């Protein structure tokens, strides 16, 4: 199969390229914003977006999901995760908008984190068929790490 990677960060692309070489793998890497993907309509069978989409405001998350829908083929799959409102980090930092907070310090200083619940997930994926949805939780140093994992399918006849 052909693999493509997209990142807005030169550093992220460089690290990805290094990891690909270390593992004797190939992928086409593109520098871009996930809200405006430089690919033609209906060109991918599957898209994986882990630990990234929630680093935006809700409006931008919606734009990203719309872009994924645009470039995904009918019956194509979208694997994505989101921070859950159950996470210990929910409500920490500077409130940017409802359910979106920016870290004040640490390794993710000034980084946005949007948190969702089941109702919001269903709204975000209303144009997809949710194949699998699970709340993945674990304790890390007495803190709850809570992430929603979603596997969604682009329905036939959509887009």
């Amino acid at each position: 199969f052909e693999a493509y990677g997209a990142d807005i960060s030169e550093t992220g692309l460089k690290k990805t390229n290094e990891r690909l070489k270390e593992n004797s793998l190939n992928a086409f890497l593109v520098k871009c914003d996930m809200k405006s993907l430089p690919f033609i309509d209906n060109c991918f069978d599957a898209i994986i977006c882990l630990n990234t989409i929630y680093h935006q405001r809700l409006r931008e998350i919606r734009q990203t999901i719309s872009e994924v829908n645009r470039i995904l083929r009918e019956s194509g799959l979208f694997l994505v995760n989101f921070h859950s409102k159950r996470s210990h980090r929910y409500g920490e930092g500077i409130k940017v908008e409802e359910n979106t907070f920016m870290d004040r310090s640490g390794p993710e200083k000034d980084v946005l984190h949007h948190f969702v619940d089941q109702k919001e997930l269903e709204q975000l994926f209303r144009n997809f068929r949710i194949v699998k949805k699970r709340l993945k939780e674990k304790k890390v140093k007495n803190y709850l790490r809570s992430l929603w994992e979603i596997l969604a399918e682009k329905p036939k006849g959509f887009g």
Side-chain angles (χ1 to χ4, degrees), residues 8 32-37 49 51-68 78 80-83 96-102 108 110-116 120 124:
I8 199 165
C32 66
D33 188 319
M34 68 179 116
K35 297 182 302 295
S36 181
L37 297 166
C49 185
N51 304 321
T52 57
I53 197 169
Y54 51 75
H55 290 300
Q56 307 179 91
R57 296 172 186 267
L58 181 57
R59 171 181 44 82
E60 295 165 327
I61 291 169
R62 287 184 180 129
Q63 285 177 277
T64 301
I65 291 171
S66 178
E67 273 294 273
V68 166
F78 181 29
V80 62
N81 65 358
F82 289 88
H83 278 298
V96 176
E97 65 182 14
E98 192 66 30
N99 303 319
T100 305
F101 305 89
M102 184 185 308
E108 294 196 319
D110 298 331
V111 175
L112 295 176
H113 292 85
H114 184 79
F115 297 81
V116 300
E120 186 173 0
L124 287 170

Side-chain angles (χ1 to χ4, degrees), residues 51 81 83-84 86-89 134-149:
N51 304 321
N81 65 358
H83 278 298
S84 161
R86 289 176 39 86
S87 174
H88 76 279
R89 297 185 65 197
R134 78 174 178 164
L135 187 59
K136 188 176 175 183
E137 297 183 319
K138 68 179 179 179
K139 288 274 188 165
V140 179
K141 296 181 182 178
N142 292 326
Y143 294 102
L144 181 64
R145 180 168 167 81
S146 182
L147 290 167
W148 283 103
E149 291 182 345

Side-chain angles (χ1 to χ4, degrees), residues 19-83:
R19 288 181 181 165
L20 287 167
K21 286 180 182 177
E22 287 170 8
N23 292 288
S24 300
L25 297 171
N26 292 311
F28 300 96
L29 302 180
V30 179
K31 183 178 181 197
C32 66
D33 188 319
M34 68 179 116
K35 297 182 302 295
S36 181
L37 297 166
F39 304 107
I40 63 171
D41 296 357
N42 307 307
C43 66
F44 289 103
D45 294 310
I47 296 173
I48 300 170
C49 185
L50 299 175
N51 304 321
T52 57
I53 197 169
Y54 51 75
H55 290 300
Q56 307 179 91
R57 296 172 186 267
L58 181 57
R59 171 181 44 82
E60 295 165 327
I61 291 169
R62 287 184 180 129
Q63 285 177 277
T64 301
I65 291 171
S66 178
E67 273 294 273
V68 166
N69 197 332
R70 179 184 66 78
I71 65 174
L72 199 58
R73 289 185 178 141
E74 284 186 355
S75 302
L77 297 174
F78 181 29
L79 177 64
V80 62
N81 65 358
F82 289 88
H83 278 298

